[in-house]
Amino acid sequence: MLSLEETMIILKIKKHIHQFTSAERKVADYILEYGEFVPTMTTKQLAEAADASEASIVRFCKRIGFDSFRMLKVVLAKEFSQGPMTVNSVSLLQSNDTPHSLFQKVTHVNKMALDLTLKTLSHSEFEKAVAAFVQAKKVALFGVGGSYPPAVDGQYKLMRIGYHAVASSDYHYMVPFITYMKKGDVILCFSTSGKTKEVIDIAQYAKERGITVISITTLNQSPLYKMSDITLCIPDLETEERIGSIASRTAHQNVVDALYVSIFHEIGENLVEAFDLSREKASEKRK
């Protein structure tokens, strides 16, 4: 048996080992023991080596947050080539990393989040999200903990292009705003796990009001994923014992930026005069 470092994927598999079916467990056990060989294997080869079916491999990948075996192989290959990615776990305290090596690891993890979002984000869902925003009059943005900062940035960007937008991490603050929203308006919910109770409750209330629910979450069939009208999926690159939101926040922010640019592309010709006026006013405070 080869000695494997505690990479993000290995930690994730160990964390969920008791949730797998017997067939999925065979795949998990093989990866835990021979993980560095998996990136060179086909689905058929892994199925034969693990004594499992190809369908079990697909289900296993989805259970740990990847929409395909190919994506899992990409992450495994990057992790094993870069060394143990303990950058966002308390196990970081047990490493001999220097500040510079940690900078490199953080950069690598964030870059991986951006690269993989190209594979997890559905083109059609993104286009539907942009169309929904273009038609909306009011926009609510809701996230808690590490998912709140991207919501605030999204609110600022939407405000700049004329939307009545409100961001909050407070359930009781958001409910009155949603109450006055109308059908065709949009709520953008941020939750990496898709299981945060406050976010789910807010999304449920918005649906009851006929508001379009758009979520930025991982591809894991979570409650938020299932109840959303439109899902903008990001890769699942965090462990539950993380010391902070790093890769997920980067992925959230990237989707927000892409939405902003796309919406501006659709309605921007009506905003040039306001942008110029805003820029001129802001320049008065520069020295």
Side-chain angles (χ1 to χ4, degrees), residues 204-223:
Q204 183 60 50
Y205 180 55
K207 283 189 73 70
E208 292 171 2
R209 300 285 302 163
I211 298 164
T212 301
V213 177
I214 303 175
S215 64
I216 303 180
T217 187
T218 50
L219 184 70
N220 61 3
Q221 296 295 313
S222 66

Side-chain angles (χ1 to χ4, degrees), residues 20-279:
F20 300 137
T21 64
S22 58
E24 293 166 355
R25 178 67 180 265
K26 292 180 180 179
V27 181
D29 288 341
Y30 186 87
I31 294 176
L32 290 176
E33 190 165 3
Y34 304 110
E36 58 261 70
F37 296 137
V38 173
T40 66
M41 303 172 76
T42 64
T43 309
K44 183 177 180 180
Q45 289 172 331
L46 178 57
E48 292 176 351
D51 190 26
S53 67
E54 293 184 47
S56 296
I57 294 173
V58 173
R59 290 194 296 270
F60 169 82
C61 292
K62 291 185 179 297
R63 192 177 292 276
I64 61 171
F66 298 98
D67 70 344
S68 67
F69 178 53
R70 181 181 178 183
M71 184 182 297
L72 174 63
K73 291 200 299 181
V74 169
V75 176
L76 279 172
K78 288 185 176 182
E79 287 197 334
F80 287 125
S81 66
Q82 294 289 327
M85 301 307 293
T86 54
V87 67
N88 200 19
S89 166
V90 291
S91 59
L92 171 68
L93 299 175
Q94 301 169 6
S95 74
N96 295 319
D97 285 298
T98 65
H100 180 64
S101 67
L102 289 173
F103 169 77
Q104 291 179 311
K105 286 187 176 183
V106 168
T107 301
H108 170 72
V109 168
N110 283 331
K111 184 176 183 298
M112 187 189 298
L114 297 176
D115 289 343
L116 290 177
T117 303
L118 291 172
K119 301 180 184 300
T120 57
L121 187 70
S122 163
H123 297 176
S124 60
E125 289 290 282
F126 186 77
E127 290 177 357
K128 287 195 293 184
V130 173
F133 275 105
V134 169
Q135 297 299 318
K137 301 299 182 183
K138 292 182 179 180
V139 177
L141 303 96
F142 191 78
V144 300
S147 296
Y148 177 55
V152 174
D153 185 69
Q155 183 270 334
Y156 168 70
K157 284 184 166 69
L158 290 170
M159 175 269 296
R160 290 198 67 200
I161 54 178
Y163 282 89
H164 182 186
V166 169
S168 181
S169 61
D170 187 329
Y171 174 88
H172 298 283
Y173 181 92
M174 186 58 74
V175 165
F177 184 74
I178 292 175
T179 301
Y180 286 98
M181 295 173 74
K182 300 183 182 299
K183 185 176 181 179
D185 288 336
V186 167
I187 180 168
L188 182 58
C189 295
F190 298 78
S191 175
T192 300
S193 69
K195 301 175 183 178
T196 306
K197 187 177 187 304
E198 296 95 328
V199 179
I200 294 169
D201 289 346
I202 280 292
Q204 183 60 50
Y205 180 55
K207 283 189 73 70
E208 292 171 2
R209 300 285 302 163
I211 298 164
T212 301
V213 177
I214 303 175
S215 64
I216 303 180
T217 187
T218 50
L219 184 70
N220 61 3
Q221 296 295 313
S222 66
L224 180 61
Y225 178 93
K226 293 177 181 178
M227 75 166 56
S228 298
D229 298 300
I230 302 170
T231 52
L232 305 176
C233 293
I234 60 173
D236 187 1
L237 294 176
E238 305 280 21
T239 61
E240 292 188 15
E241 297 81 9
R242 61 184 180 269
I243 59 175
S245 298
I246 297 178
S248 58
R249 188 199 61 226
T250 298
H252 281 306
Q253 189 64 64
N254 187 55
V255 175
V256 167
D257 289 344
L259 284 171
Y260 172 67
V261 171
S262 299
I263 296 167
F264 183 86
H265 180 261
E266 294 293 321
I267 67 175
E269 63 182 22
N270 301 320
L271 304 172
V272 175
E273 183 177 347
F275 261 69
D276 289 341
L277 179 61
S278 177
R279 188 182 306 109

